[in-house]
Amino acid sequence: MSGDAPRSLEPAKLHAPLARLLRPLVRLLIRSGITFPMLAELLRELYVNVAEYDFALQGKEQTDSRVSLLTGIHRKEVRRLRGAGAPVNTVPATVSQTSRILARWLADPDFTGPDGRPLPLPRTAEMPQPSFERLVASVTRDVRPRAVLDEWVDRKLVVLDAEDRAVLAEAAYVPRGGDDQQLYYLGRNLHDHIAAAVANVEAGSPPFLERAVHYDGLTKELAEQLQRRSRDVAMEALHTLNREAHAASDNAPAGQWRWNFGVYVYSEEVVPPSATATSTDTTDTGAKP
């Protein structure tokens, strides 16, 4: 990453992209009963928190007056809100545990077949044969493998086949709609996508890959076909990188960095439909290849 100071943009230039960025989130907030005053209070809290920690001058104490100047929030409110705000990198224990076990099942040669696919696992087996008990124990000894298996069967992450083996039902961790795990990933994945795009906009030499392929003026059938195909391609990329990351990090020393590789697919009907011919473009907030 470049050591240059981030570039500032004219506020007016951000209005249109911000409106488009926030629209689906505002739709979710309204449906969930979060009113504008509730959101405004959260934004005040975040403005103060970001100004307090991310814009502090080296070797100088961050004062209420400077935070007020940076944010436009009255000093009395700044004084009330300083120190508030939840850390963005806290991972719920259940999410961390589930994702680590699934990542090993999908990547570790001990638990995958010659084709790289996760093996059906008996509940227990003699060493060195793979088993669900051995899989869970290789990640954590804080929970019983039987408890994990029962929970995963209930959540339909795994099914039991005719030989009573655990078979992975999903090739990735897909939380149920609206549960705590899914809401955690809503915040994490959108944070990282936006953070990469913002870093690229601010940097003189964009440090992150952040691109999309998009076609307009398609039929519904073709859009659905491309969506199915893109899911297959995306999952193949995720599996490949999971295997490589697992192999590289399994015995590596601990560090302070984290890495996230994400893929998204989206399609919608555009009303009124575009009358223009189908076109293609590969766009990004970074450098062109």
Side-chain angles (χ1 to χ4, degrees):
M1 294 178 61
S2 171
D4 298 337
R7 293 181 299 176
S8 297
L9 301 177
E10 295 179 18
K13 288 186 175 181
L14 290 174
H15 286 179
L18 272 177
R20 187 167 190 175
L21 163 70
L22 292 173
R23 189 175 186 88
L25 291 177
V26 170
R27 188 183 303 124
L28 174 64
L29 296 178
I30 292 174
R31 284 176 177 163
S32 302
I34 296 181
T35 61
F36 176 75
M38 294 167 66
L39 176 61
E41 178 65 17
L42 174 61
L43 284 174
R44 268 194 296 269
E45 197 174 277
L46 285 171
Y47 259 73
V48 170
N49 186 268
V50 170
E52 180 177 2
Y53 294 106
D54 293 10
F55 288 83
L57 297 174
Q58 189 172 6
K60 293 187 178 181
E61 181 182 355
Q62 187 74 303
T63 64
D64 292 348
S65 295
R66 185 163 188 274
V67 172
S68 177
L69 180 65
L70 288 168
T71 63
I73 298 172
H74 194 278
R75 277 185 299 171
K76 184 182 294 185
E77 282 289 277
V78 168
R79 195 157 44 246
R80 177 178 73 86
L81 293 170
R82 285 189 70 169
V88 297
N89 289 333
T90 301
V91 183
T94 54
V95 172
S96 176
Q97 176 183 284
T98 298
S99 61
R100 285 187 295 133
I101 295 172
L102 284 175
R104 183 171 290 272
W105 196 354
L106 288 163
D108 195 316
D110 287 345
F111 304 103
T112 55
D115 58 357
R117 295 181 179 276
L119 292 170
L121 299 176
R123 295 173 186 263
T124 61
E126 295 292 331
M127 288 290 290
Q129 296 301 313
S131 69
F132 193 82
E133 180 180 63
R134 183 182 164 204
L135 170 67
V136 174
S138 69
V139 173
T140 177
R141 296 188 179 274
D142 294 335
V143 293
R144 294 185 300 111
R146 175 61 184 269
V148 175
L149 181 58
D150 288 346
E151 179 190 357
W152 286 14
V153 169
D154 179 63
R155 290 164 56 186
K156 296 181 173 56
L157 277 175
V158 302
V159 295
L160 299 176
D161 66 9
E163 300 176 43
D164 200 36
R165 297 177 303 178
V167 179
L168 189 60
E170 292 283 354
Y173 180 25
V174 183
R176 288 182 290 198
D179 68 9
D180 291 343
Q181 289 85 358
Q182 189 182 53
L183 293 176
Y184 163 74
Y185 281 111
L186 168 70
R188 177 188 175 114
N189 291 344
L190 288 183
H191 168 275
D192 287 1
H193 193 162
I194 294 171
V198 168
N200 289 345
V201 168
E202 291 181 332
S205 177
F208 296 110
L209 179 70
E210 199 276 316
R211 303 184 179 185
V213 175
H214 52 85
Y215 278 69
D216 300 324
L218 303 176
T219 64
K220 178 183 178 182
E221 292 74 19
L222 181 52
E224 291 176 346
Q225 175 187 329
L226 288 170
Q227 183 175 177
R228 288 191 298 270
R229 176 58 182 151
S230 57
R231 280 176 175 267
D232 293 339
V233 172
M235 289 307 302
E236 182 178 347
L238 290 168
H239 285 315
T240 298
L241 283 167
N242 179 53
R243 286 192 294 269
E244 293 182 10
H246 174 80
S249 65
D250 199 28
N251 296 310
Q256 299 299 316
W257 286 74
R258 71 182 184 91
W259 163 80
N260 190 16
F261 172 78
V263 180
Y264 69 92
V265 179
Y266 184 70
S267 65
E268 66 175 354
E269 182 182 10
V270 180
V271 181
S274 173
T276 61
T278 300
S279 64
T280 181
D281 188 18
T282 302
T283 62
D284 66 280
T285 54
K288 298 293 182 187

